[in-house]
Amino acid sequence: MKPFEERYTAWVDGLLVGEEREIFEREYPMLVGEREAMGKLQGLIKQQVRPPPLAHPDFFNSELLRRIELEQVSKEPLATRRTWLGFPRLAWAGLGSALAFLAAVIFMVLTPHPSKDPHDSYMAEVLKAQTNAPGVKATVDSNKNVTIIKLDGLEKVPAENELKK
């Protein structure tokens, strides 16, 4: 059921017809004479009150048309509207993602990685082997993976300080 204000406005404007009009007039008999008074008042308002001219009518019209177009676009079904996530854009995004993944995999495979053996990455170069002590001779013996520095002429290390394997 419509609220009173809605029914009253429709009755004054002459939009209530038939059974609805009769029911409304039976419910509110004191309003029957008010309809003619409202009609006279509306006529006087239309005669005496003129709308003020718009300051910028072109802007008003263009803004009004823009809003109407926006409402029409938003009422179109989703299938007919062009959306940002359309099939071509999703296809290009998928292709781009696949190429980025492929590039990352190739980069990971082709780049040299340090080996897991900690001794492989260790490198030392002996630049100078000499001592200040008289009678001690230092020699360097370099092989593929081992560099040995020999010191001849030193005293023997006591057994309690000897290195154990």
Side-chain angles (χ1 to χ4, degrees), residues 75-120:
K75 290 179 183 177
E76 287 181 15
L78 187 59
T80 60
R81 258 192 282 163
R82 183 179 178 105
T83 61
W84 190 86
L85 293 175
F87 180 73
R89 288 187 179 150
L90 288 176
W92 282 111
L95 181 63
S97 299
L99 288 175
F101 176 76
L102 184 64
V105 167
I106 289 173
F107 176 74
M108 292 174 149
V109 169
L110 295 181
T111 18
H113 298 288
S115 69
K116 305 229 184 236
D117 188 12
H119 298 293
D120 284 352

Side-chain angles (χ1 to χ4, degrees), residues 123-165:
M123 183 187 102
E125 185 177 342
V126 177
L127 300 175
K128 186 176 178 183
Q130 72 182 42
T131 65
N132 294 335
V136 178
K137 182 180 176 188
T139 57
V140 177
D141 184 16
S142 293
N143 289 335
K144 183 178 177 184
N145 291 327
V146 177
T147 300
I148 300 172
I149 300 175
K150 294 181 186 178
L151 298 173
D152 293 328
L154 291 176
E155 297 177 17
K156 279 209 150 225
V157 177
E160 63 269 358
N161 293 342
E162 203 170 302
L163 297 174
K164 308 281 183 196
K165 283 189 178 183

